[in-house]
Amino acid sequence: MSESTNPKKKEEKDEEVRIGVYTCYCGGNISDAVDCEHVKKVMTDLPNVVVSRTDMSMCSDAGQALIEKDIKEKGINRVIVGACAPSLHEQTFRGTVARAGLNPYLYHHVGLREQDSWVSHGDYRGATCKALNLMTAGVAKTRLLAPLEPIRLEAEKHALVIGGGVAGLRTALDTARRGIQVTLIEKSPFLGGRMAQLGKVFPTDEDACATLDKLIQKVASHPKVTIFTQAEVTGVSGYVGDYQIKILQQSRGINNDIAEAVLDADMPKVPDAFNYGLTERKVIYKAYPGCYPPTPAVDWAHYNGEPIIVNGQPTIFYNKPKNFDLKVGAIVVATGFKPYEPRAGEYGYKELPEVVTLPQLIRYLELDKTTRTLTWAGRAVNDIALIHCVGSRDTEGVHEPQADGQVNNYCSRVCCTATLHMANELRERFPDTNIYDFYEDIRTYGRGHETYYQKALEGMVRFLRYRGIERPEVVAAPEGDTHPVLVRAKDSLSQGEEMEVAADLVVLAVGMMPTQVDELVQMLKISRGVDRFLAEVHPKLRPVETAVNGVILAGTAQGPMTIQESVAAASAAAVKVAVLLGQGEVQLDPFVAYVDPEKCDGNGACIEVCKYEDAIKMETVTINGKDVKRAVVTPANCAGCGGCVSACPNRAIDIQGWTLDQYDAMVDAIALDLWDLMEVPA
Amino acid sequence: MMEKLLNTLKIDALVVGGGIAGMQSALDLADQGYQVAMVEKEASIGGKMIALSKVFPTLDCCSCITTPKMSAVAHHENIHLFTYCEVQSVEENTNGFKTTVLQKPRYLDADACTGCRMCEYVCPIDLRNPFDLNMGATRAVRVPFSTAVPQIAVLDMENCILCGKCEKACPVGCIDFSQQPKLFTLQTDTIILATGFETTKRDAKKEYGAGELHNVIDGLMMERLLAPTGPYGRIIRPGDGKEPDSIAYVQCAGSRDKTLGVEYCSRVCCMYAIKQAMLISGSLPLADITIYYMDIRAFGKGYEQFFQNARAMGVEFVRGKVAKITQDDHQNPVVRFESTDNGSKVSERTHDLVVLSTGMLPSYDTKPVYRIPAGDDGFVYVPEPNSAPCVTDREGIFVTGAAAGPMDIVDSIVMAGAAAMESAAYMSEKQDQAEIHEQAEESEMEVAHV
Amino acid sequence: MNKKVEARARAEKMKQLRKEHKVTVKRTQGLLKEQKRIHRDICLTIRDTPKTIPEIAEVMEMPSHEVLWHITALKKYDVVAEEGMCGEYVLYTRAEEEA
Ligand SMILES: Cc1cc2nc3c(=O)[nH]c(=O)nc-3n(C[C@H](O)[C@H](O)[C@H](O)COP(=O)(O)OP(=O)(O)OC[C@H]3O[C@@H](n4cnc5c(N)ncnc54)[C@H](O)[C@@H]3O)c2cc1C
Ligand SMILES: Cc1cc2nc3c(=O)[nH]c(=O)nc-3n(C[C@H](O)[C@H](O)[C@H](O)COP(=O)(O)OP(=O)(O)OC[C@H]3O[C@@H](n4cnc5c(N)ncnc54)[C@H](O)[C@@H]3O)c2cc1C
Ligand code: SF4
Ligand code: SF4
Ligand code: SF4
């Protein structure tokens, strides 16, 4: 670590490259598998390296202070850290470097954890040697780093919220409250999502629709919110701060003067999806009495185009879908969930009429809120069996997969409490019924949830506990039995005895599945987790953001959540929108193509390969008094994909921050055999 | 410095508590351009999380997530950090809230201290280190822990003999034995309470040894044993330093327990026990790990899979209620339990180390100072949890994180964003209330015309 | 000359402070005295042969959990170091004294 710098050198144009190399232990995550001290030692001897250090966690305040100090005191002007994935802390260290007065892009991040220590378990020497290669390559690139300026763009102070359930509504309201214009689009004709289908909800026992209605009124009357129902996104282009959205909206089909009359008219009926097929509704309908918007809608998928007599007039309804464009700065995806639909035959579903899902039972009880006697399929119900975890917590290879081969191995989080909430409601409304609850674990985790469990225990709900792989069986009772169905399970609460419960009604506590949003996922270029819910960047550091800057998640589109959690996530999503768009400007990394006009001969190969609109075009420029054609990049439109770089026969194009020279240097270093530098292990 | 700041700056929001929830709320507000003051009662921010080892379900190292947030808070130009401070009173006025804050004496000049720890090295007295749950050692003057923010020492006058060694050793001469507590005021529009939680005391339950069995520890102690900066630097039991071969977890220790008046589920202890079990089998591959439980509550995103992985790794899950823990002649804890999987048979098993999966209790009563009541469970009362999970029953004051009930880190961070949203929206609305009022009236009229 | 005055003023101030904090200072002084004795004895016990916690506890006739804590303190401030394992127990020895 010689300090023989010539102070004059700094003022020269080609300043001396002075690199600081930092190898992080990552609290053991790296140092358990890699000899970080050895890496540090080897790095010290590389050309231009002025300091090489290790730390328990470089990202800590003390670790960052170390870098700052070296920049200020040792004149370090390029920094490289070998640590966790760049997605975690590249920004952190750019900030550190900038605080010390250096250009933030004179920083390079090597992912020693994800690329080395976490994937080479057990091979200490191998992992250490690989670390040497990765770091040497990193230093080779760092040597060639040049200062860059971020791209600053004006941001559209307007957000698009996709999905009008409780999460979407809440995001819309909060974003608007922060003074940002919001467009909310809902696929169905009515707002409210799944929450509208619930009756009383835990943990407060408030009426779901009443609570929802208050929220909808606030959203609908907010001057900064525009709502489109029956609308879907059909195209997305652009980037954070400047997205162009194409929207397709179906006609409502009904104007207000016939809104009342049309509901009384005679017309074909279809199963009512709002009541999960328990009832039928007309093809022109309102989802539920207090729904919003209050105007009825035509169900275009089922309306056959025949005239319907309204006010004595035969009337034909026409769908004239509208296409329109929107410019927004950020997009919030709040597309929600759908209840798991059991396979035909799963616990007797669809085969035995006495087997229903929990959402169905909720609707059933809502249809007649006053009855004091529970009947099902024409029979009085005395014995009710509740079965947990239907379509959740399945194990691959043990439980039968769904039609698409998928197995839901996650817990749906709300069904335990929802089931016990239901058990208590049944107890209260129909005190004479016997209730049996088949479960593996009771997960009443949330604030106020355990109370329902306690109450159910006190209310003499009979609990039977099965083991995960030995799920209960639901079969038709033999002819002449007192009850139509039997539920069998090995109950571990009574010494693993085979129990048989005769029931009049079996309720399946079905789990949550993500809404089908394949097209949206593709258009937005976001990703899904193994559970097929939309994936966040990092569950702790950035829990509501996706890997695409400007695309944010809210509510159950991301995973099972209660209303409370959906609302909190929605507000958290809104805060991210406010941070992004509040200042009216967004910053993008300058990793975009740059054309060297000296090397470019205007042959245009780059323009042919570029897939992005207006990212690169040919312009006539004057060089040495001559008019010549040269490719020119519009940074804001360039995605930095590098397609043009490979197409250019003259090596005239580079992606800033990731130049061909830098790649060459890295490849040379990666290819080095560094085993010689591995000393005999201590 | 502080005086200047307080005189010249208009602060918008006060965040009380610098745990992960408070930090995230502060950052989400500051990133929108609001001026934020953070008041933390301890000498460093970071809360409970900074003491943890690795975190479920991602198993990334805890300081990798926490320290950068701490650093971001400390360096944010819109955040003003007041550590080792406590709010004494809150007064409502036309501009919002006037808060009186007590700066406890660190007995040194905080602006001058460089965190070099020279004082700590010369201090002659070894004390039990609260950061390590009293398992490790520290000195009467110390930087609270290696990743503390700010990196400033604090002197514990209660345990100081005033020998003056630290004063002489300090290279910047910042020790000041006669420092006095100081009061200052903050004027803010809104307040966010992020005062977090405490864990059930280890001696809460007589049946579990009442804290007297040295090899019966709690979840947080195990976190410290697993942390790379832990007191022993390895997993040995505090009773006699033995490397444990057989480790047992007792779930719901202090939660879901009417006898303790804690009826609720603490929500994180199932998951942290599973996490610790996995981490232990990494460090001590031969150790047997048993988890005694009633229900495994692996409800969050990725949690069930995490639980199944632990099962597949050979962690033994025994369903049953632990009735009693005693100890044999070799300090080995003996667990007496009723296995519900096994026909309610009562059995006894001896382990080397028992970890009580202690639950979460409220850490701070908001009633005296903030006039905000607690719910039945003792955590801050939230009148409309489904519509407004962060809104307390006092206008302008919001709550977030584990102060509003047991919560893991993911949920705390999400809720922190929500609290920042609520308070930001509250401030915007307050600012242009008149305007919005007008517009709302107009649009109502429009509706009326249609 | 000036220095002397300063030193005297400082000594006076410390005396005053010690009076103010009489109760805690006295208690802690007692603690420190005891601690010094224990630390000396522990160091003596492991001077020649490294020992485990139970071994030290036996020699010192002290509860093993207390021994462990003192060892932890001594280790943290580099007086004692680990030296391998004896079965399931760590062996402790004097740390190499820095010159
Ligand atoms: C049986 C059951 C009982 C429950 N009981 C309770 C309870 O008591 N308490 C509680 O707190 N929680 C309860 N829940 C959970 C609660 O229902 C959810 O937390 C909540 O509804 C989630 O709201 P959301 O906005 O995320 O999703 P959703 O309600 O599903 O809303 C999503 C919206 O997005 C729309 N959409 C979907 N795709 C698109 C697209 N491509 N373009 C435009 N719009 C689209 C949908 O039409 C829908 O309106 C229960 C859940 C179930 C299954
Ligand atoms: C043993 C254990 C292991 C865990 N492991 C995990 C895990 O692996 N993954 C996970 O997701 N979660 C885990 N958790 C849960 C996690 O610790 C909490 O979710 C998280 O710490 C909550 O953060 P918080 O900011 O709300 O509260 P806290 O961390 O408690 O922070 C509160 C802060 O406020 C300060 N404060 C309190 N009162 C006042 C006051 N009056 N004035 C000023 N300041 C005040 C406190 O000093 C503290 O700094 C674990 C918990 C335990 C007990
Ligand atoms: S919440 Fe309960 S019923 Fe639902 S999947 Fe999880 S354990 Fe099963
Ligand atoms: S004066 Fe107190 S804090 Fe300072 S060295 Fe002496 S005992 Fe320690
Ligand atoms: S999380 Fe698990 S251990 Fe903790 S109280 Fe709830 S059920 Fe018990």
Side-chain angles (χ1 to χ4, degrees):
Chain A
M1 274 182 249
S2 73
E3 290 270 320
S4 58
T5 343
N6 180 353
K8 264 196 198 149
K9 263 201 164 169
K10 267 195 181 166
E11 287 145 38
E12 288 174 21
K13 203 169 164 234
D14 271 326
E15 62 166 358
E16 180 203 2
V17 170
R18 296 174 66 82
I19 303 177
V21 187
Y22 304 86
T23 308
C24 184
Y25 278 27
C26 198
N29 271 304
I30 296 172
S31 57
D32 286 351
V34 170
D35 184 347
C36 294
E37 291 306 321
H38 186 61
V39 174
K40 164 186 139 181
K41 229 175 82 210
V42 172
M43 291 304 115
T44 313
D45 299 334
L46 295 182
N48 298 92
V49 172
V50 178
V51 280
S52 174
R53 296 183 194 276
T54 57
D55 196 69
M56 185 55 90
S57 61
M58 283 309 307
C59 60
S60 70
D61 210 45
Q64 292 185 49
L66 215 63
I67 300 177
E68 280 183 64
K69 205 163 156 234
D70 286 345
I71 293 172
K72 288 185 185 140
E73 292 177 6
K74 294 201 183 312
I76 299 299
N77 55 21
R78 303 282 187 288
V79 173
I80 162 173
V81 176
C84 50
S87 61
L88 241 67
H89 285 321
E90 189 174 46
Q91 288 305 335
T92 309
F93 291 116
R94 286 232 175 93
T96 314
V97 167
R99 271 204 307 280
L102 221 55
N103 181 288
Y105 296 97
L106 295 176
Y107 171 75
H108 180 64
H109 196 101
V110 179
L112 281 187
R113 192 178 74 178
E114 275 79 351
Q115 291 183 13
D116 191 2
S117 67
W118 271 1
V119 287
S120 14
H121 267 309
D123 182 6
Y124 194 69
R125 277 172 56 78
T128 304
C129 189
K130 182 171 173 188
L132 291 182
N133 274 111
L134 289 171
M135 290 299 284
T136 310
V139 170
K141 183 188 170 197
T142 307
R143 211 172 276 132
L144 300 175
L145 288 176
L148 297 171
E149 286 308 318
I151 303 167
R152 288 196 176 79
L153 296 169
E154 208 175 295
E156 201 69 40
K157 261 188 124 171
H158 187 164
L160 171 69
V161 177
I162 307 172
V166 67
L169 287 163
R170 186 73 211 186
T171 311
L173 178 62
D174 283 347
T175 310
R177 285 165 84 203
R178 285 291 289 115
I180 294 165
Q181 198 70 38
V182 180
T183 299
L184 173 73
I185 63 161
E186 164 59 48
K187 192 169 65 176
S188 79
F190 303 98
L191 297 180
R194 299 283 169 195
M195 185 171 163
Q197 292 170 284
L198 304 174
K200 281 190 193 152
V201 286
F202 66 76
T204 47
D205 293 334
E206 71 207 88
D207 182 60
C209 283
T211 303
L212 200 50
D213 195 45
K214 269 195 260 167
L215 176 62
I216 291 174
Q217 289 311 323
K218 279 190 206 159
V219 175
S221 65
H222 201 291
K224 287 215 176 304
V225 184
T226 316
I227 300 171
F228 296 102
T229 53
Q230 291 164 285
E232 275 184 273
V233 173
T234 54
V236 178
S237 59
Y239 41 84
V240 60
D242 186 19
Y243 278 112
Q244 288 86 45
I245 311 288
K246 289 194 185 312
I247 291 176
L248 173 69
Q249 187 184 26
Q250 311 297 323
S251 307
R252 192 116 197 132
I254 310 292
N255 55 32
N256 275 326
D257 6 309
I258 59 161
E260 292 283 316
V262 77
L263 289 175
D264 296 330
D266 261 343
M267 65 184 95
K269 288 184 170 179
V270 291
D272 187 354
F274 190 77
N275 290 330
Y276 296 103
L278 293 173
T279 56
E280 290 193 320
R281 65 152 164 78
K282 294 177 181 171
V283 290
I284 297 175
Y285 71 109
K286 284 169 80 162
Y288 60 102
C291 62
Y292 187 93
T295 318
V298 182
D299 176 353
W300 299 115
H302 293 103
Y303 173 59
N304 56 11
E306 299 284 316
I308 292 171
I309 316 286
V310 183
N311 287 335
Q313 295 278 333
T315 316
I316 296 180
F317 298 88
Y318 295 101
N319 184 14
K320 297 186 209 97
K322 255 192 331 209
N323 278 298
F324 59 94
D325 295 340
L326 271 182
K327 256 169 103 71
V328 300
I331 302 169
V332 180
V333 186
T335 48
F337 75 100
K338 60 169 197 264
Y340 170 74
E341 171 77 10
R343 275 173 283 112
E346 186 175 0
Y347 297 107
Y349 186 68
K350 289 238 164 100
E351 287 173 359
L352 306 172
E354 293 80 10
V355 178
V356 295
T357 65
L358 179 61
Q360 278 179 325
L361 182 61
I362 294 175
R363 289 314 307 153
Y364 185 71
L365 295 180
E366 279 302 293
L367 290 175
D368 183 354
K369 291 197 207 186
T370 51
T371 180
R372 290 282 138 195
T373 49
L374 181 59
T375 56
W376 184 266
R379 292 169 44 94
V381 172
N382 293 316
D383 296 278
I384 306 168
L386 309 169
I387 302 178
H388 288 239
C389 299
V390 177
S392 303
R393 302 183 69 188
D394 285 346
T395 314
E396 217 160 312
V398 175
H399 299 111
E400 208 174 304
Q402 296 152 41
D404 58 359
Q406 296 286 352
V407 163
N408 295 349
N409 63 356
Y410 54 87
C411 163
S412 293
R413 191 166 178 153
V414 299
C415 20
C416 267
T417 313
T419 305
L420 294 180
H421 181 247
M422 170 58 80
N424 285 306
E425 187 178 340
L426 290 170
R427 252 276 147 277
E428 260 162 46
R429 276 179 68 179
F430 315 108
D432 295 334
T433 49
N434 300 310
I435 301 172
Y436 303 87
D437 184 295
F438 293 80
Y439 76 105
E440 184 182 1
D441 295 283
I442 295 288
R443 294 186 167 165
T444 42
Y445 64 90
R447 198 176 185 191
H449 295 192
E450 187 80 2
T451 321
Y452 293 108
Y453 189 16
Q454 287 304 324
K455 250 173 86 185
L457 285 165
E458 286 156 17
M460 304 306 286
V461 170
R462 171 77 201 279
F463 285 89
L464 297 98
R465 182 171 196 258
Y466 61 85
R467 280 169 183 276
I469 36 172
E470 300 170 327
R471 297 230 164 132
E473 238 184 358
V474 178
V475 291
E479 201 77 36
D481 202 299
T482 51
H483 293 74
V485 282
L486 300 174
V487 185
R488 294 195 190 115
K490 265 195 204 148
D491 174 24
S492 65
L493 296 180
S494 49
Q495 324 203 352
E497 223 176 284
E498 179 87 45
M499 300 288 284
E500 192 173 87
V501 168
D504 301 305
L505 186 64
V506 175
V507 184
L508 307 181
V510 292
M512 288 168 120
M513 307 257 292
T515 314
Q516 197 285 101
V517 280
D518 295 352
E519 300 81 14
L520 205 54
V521 164
Q522 254 178 14
M523 282 188 277
L524 294 171
K525 304 187 188 74
I526 54 179
S527 54
R528 275 180 282 212
V530 279
D531 54 11
R532 283 158 291 136
F533 285 96
L534 300 180
E536 62 285 327
V537 185
H538 189 279
K540 294 198 173 66
L541 289 170
R542 292 159 70 193
V544 295
E545 290 160 86
T546 68
V548 179
N549 200 0
V551 180
I552 297 157
L553 305 175
T556 52
Q558 193 188 357
M561 288 181 199
T562 64
I563 294 167
Q564 179 178 7
E565 290 156 352
S566 303
V567 167
S571 296
V575 102
K576 292 297 170 219
V577 174
V579 168
L580 266 179
L581 306 183
Q583 323 287 24
E585 184 193 88
V586 291
Q587 275 197 12
L588 302 179
D589 276 334
F591 303 138
V592 293
Y594 167 78
V595 182
D596 182 347
E598 310 242 309
K599 290 191 193 152
C600 175
D601 63 3
N603 73 54
C606 48
I607 293 164
E608 268 165 47
V609 297
C610 182
K611 286 191 296 208
Y612 295 88
E613 237 169 277
D614 299 332
I616 189 163
K617 55 177 178 289
M618 217 36 97
E619 276 177 17
T620 311
V621 290
T622 320
I623 293 178
N624 298 336
K626 262 195 261 163
D627 277 357
V628 289
K629 289 212 176 264
R630 291 289 179 264
V632 177
V633 176
T634 309
N637 296 338
C638 171
C641 70
C644 54
V645 177
S646 53
C648 178
N650 306 321
R651 233 179 130 105
I653 314 186
D654 258 324
I655 299 295
Q656 297 189 86
W658 292 95
T659 65
L660 287 171
D661 290 349
Q662 291 170 350
Y663 275 116
D664 288 347
M666 288 174 82
V667 170
D668 287 347
I670 283 283
L672 290 177
D673 182 357
L674 297 180
W675 274 105
D676 292 349
L677 294 172
M678 295 294 300
E679 16 166 60
V680 188
Chain B
M1 190 196 91
M2 198 165 81
E3 277 84 42
K4 202 173 113 206
L5 184 110
L6 296 175
N7 290 336
T8 53
L9 252 179
K10 182 188 168 319
I11 292 181
D12 300 301
L14 165 66
V15 176
V16 185
I20 187 65
M23 291 195 289
Q24 188 62 48
S25 283
L27 288 169
D28 280 341
L29 279 171
D31 283 346
Q32 293 179 70
Y34 290 104
Q35 296 292 324
V36 183
M38 173 178 279
V39 170
E40 164 61 54
K41 74 172 168 26
E42 302 294 334
S44 168
I45 55 173
K48 289 279 182 294
M49 189 175 164
I50 189 63
L52 305 180
S53 54
K54 294 184 180 174
V55 280
F56 65 75
T58 39
L59 279 190
D60 30 27
C61 113
C62 201
S63 46
C64 302
I65 314 264
T66 326
T67 48
K69 288 250 193 241
M70 292 159 75
S71 181
V73 166
H75 294 298
H76 205 295
E77 55 178 5
N78 295 342
I79 301 180
H80 311 282
L81 192 53
F82 302 97
T83 51
Y84 218 41
C85 286
E86 267 169 58
V87 172
Q88 300 255 292
S89 65
V90 176
E91 238 177 81
E92 209 162 328
N93 55 27
T94 45
N95 296 326
F97 301 98
K98 191 173 148 211
T99 316
T100 308
V101 184
L102 173 80
Q103 169 73 65
K104 298 181 272 189
R106 282 177 183 262
Y107 297 103
L108 44 83
D109 178 354
D111 289 337
C113 175
T114 61
C116 68
R117 300 176 70 196
M118 294 312 246
C119 52
E120 180 176 343
Y121 296 133
V122 299
C123 177
I125 178 121
D126 288 339
L127 298 168
R128 291 196 176 260
N129 188 353
F131 186 69
D132 282 332
L133 288 307
N134 294 338
M135 292 184 294
T138 188
R139 298 261 163 92
V141 63
R142 60 191 177 242
V143 175
F145 46 91
S146 61
T147 49
V149 168
Q151 280 279 313
I152 297 175
V154 55
L155 190 147
D156 171 6
M157 194 51 92
E158 279 290 295
N159 289 298
C160 168
I161 53 168
L162 287 159
C163 65
K165 284 192 176 151
C166 52
E167 190 183 25
K168 283 197 198 119
C170 178
V172 291
C174 73
I175 305 280
D176 172 7
F177 295 109
S178 46
Q179 202 172 56
Q180 294 298 317
K182 249 194 290 192
L183 288 176
F184 61 94
T185 58
L186 292 168
Q187 175 70 44
T188 62
D189 288 327
T190 110
I191 299 177
I192 294 179
L193 299 170
T195 49
F197 70 102
E198 284 305 325
T199 49
T200 324
K201 293 283 156 285
R202 199 157 59 96
D203 60 6
K205 228 171 146 57
K206 200 166 84 260
E207 298 86 335
Y208 293 169
E212 289 185 352
L213 307 181
H214 294 287
N215 293 326
V216 177
I217 64 174
D218 66 22
L220 272 180
M221 290 167 85
M222 185 48 101
E223 290 291 336
R224 292 310 302 151
L225 293 186
L226 286 163
T229 54
Y232 311 133
R234 55 171 71 242
I235 305 169
I236 52 178
R237 60 185 200 181
D240 61 358
K242 182 179 173 187
E243 196 174 78
D245 238 1
S246 153
I247 299 154
Y249 280 84
V250 176
Q251 295 310 105
C252 303
S255 309
R256 304 177 66 192
D257 186 338
K258 278 196 184 151
T259 64
L260 294 176
V262 180
E263 292 190 27
Y264 56 85
C265 161
S266 290
R267 198 162 162 166
V268 298
C269 14
C270 276
M271 283 304 291
Y272 79 59
I274 297 173
K275 165 192 78 176
Q276 292 182 357
M278 289 171 101
L279 294 175
I280 293 169
S281 29
S283 314
L284 306 171
L286 298 178
D288 292 323
I289 306 166
T290 310
I291 297 184
Y292 298 98
Y293 74 104
M294 298 205 284
D295 301 279
I296 289 295
R297 297 194 163 163
F299 57 82
K301 192 168 179 171
Y303 293 7
E304 176 70 18
Q305 296 89 318
F306 194 81
F307 166 40
Q308 298 305 344
N309 287 350
R311 251 191 184 154
M313 277 168 73
V315 176
E316 187 194 11
F317 288 83
V318 175
R319 190 169 196 272
K321 186 80 192 140
V322 171
K324 207 171 167 65
I325 306 172
T326 49
Q327 140 176 325
D328 70 9
D329 294 343
H330 307 283
Q331 298 198 20
N332 299 318
V334 182
V335 175
R336 191 180 164 83
F337 65 100
E338 190 185 329
S339 160
T340 49
D341 269 340
N342 199 1
S344 301
K345 218 175 72 196
V346 175
S347 342
E348 280 192 356
R349 272 212 232 167
T350 306
H351 300 279
D352 290 331
L353 182 65
V354 166
V355 185
L356 301 178
S357 292
T358 44
M360 286 175 145
L361 300 172
S363 75
Y364 176 73
D365 182 4
T366 48
K367 184 93 198 188
V369 171
Y370 300 91
R371 284 193 282 116
I372 292 173
D376 292 340
D377 53 10
F379 291 93
V380 175
Y381 173 61
V382 175
E384 294 183 348
N386 284 339
S387 313
C390 303
V391 178
T392 70
D393 75 348
R394 192 163 172 198
E395 203 183 302
I397 305 188
F398 306 94
V399 63
T400 192
M407 214 174 279
D408 62 26
I409 294 162
V410 181
D411 290 340
S412 298
I413 291 180
V414 169
M415 198 174 172
M421 183 71 238
E422 284 287 1
S423 57
Y426 173 80
M427 288 188 278
S428 323
E429 282 180 345
K430 207 170 130 185
Q431 212 175 19
D432 41 43
Q433 216 159 25
E435 200 181 316
I436 284 188
H437 209 74
E438 237 168 62
Q439 282 170 336
E441 268 173 9
E442 259 169 44
S443 70
E444 241 161 62
M445 269 157 55
E446 272 168 37
V447 173
H449 284 309
V450 176
Chain C
M1 184 62 205
N2 218 355
K3 269 210 172 131
K4 240 186 206 163
V5 176
E6 253 174 43
R8 201 174 313 135
R10 183 175 169 271
E12 190 54 38
K13 188 192 80 190
M14 290 307 281
K15 214 169 117 191
Q16 189 59 36
L17 279 165
R18 267 179 228 127
K19 219 191 234 157
E20 259 171 53
H21 297 278
K22 202 167 59 201
V23 183
T24 52
V25 166
K26 196 150 174 244
R27 193 197 63 223
T28 312
Q29 272 170 341
L31 193 84
L32 180 61
K33 210 167 138 201
E34 172 74 358
Q35 200 174 75
K36 279 199 162 144
R37 183 190 63 77
I38 294 171
H39 287 186
R40 209 172 35 238
D41 289 355
I42 288 180
C43 289
L44 220 59
T45 312
I46 58 173
R47 194 177 56 189
D48 301 325
T49 42
K51 288 195 175 58
T52 65
I53 299 291
E55 285 165 357
I56 304 168
E58 204 181 319
V59 176
M60 307 237 327
E61 294 181 353
M62 209 175 139
S64 52
H65 66 94
E66 281 178 27
V67 174
L68 176 58
W69 183 71
H70 287 291
I71 287 281
T72 306
L74 290 168
K75 206 181 115 212
K76 174 163 178 183
Y77 296 106
D78 296 327
V79 184
V80 158
E82 293 186 355
E83 189 170 300
M85 303 278 292
C86 169
E88 290 151 320
Y89 293 92
V90 181
L91 286 166
Y92 297 94
T93 181
R94 279 302 307 262
E96 313 234 331
E97 262 155 281
E98 279 157 61

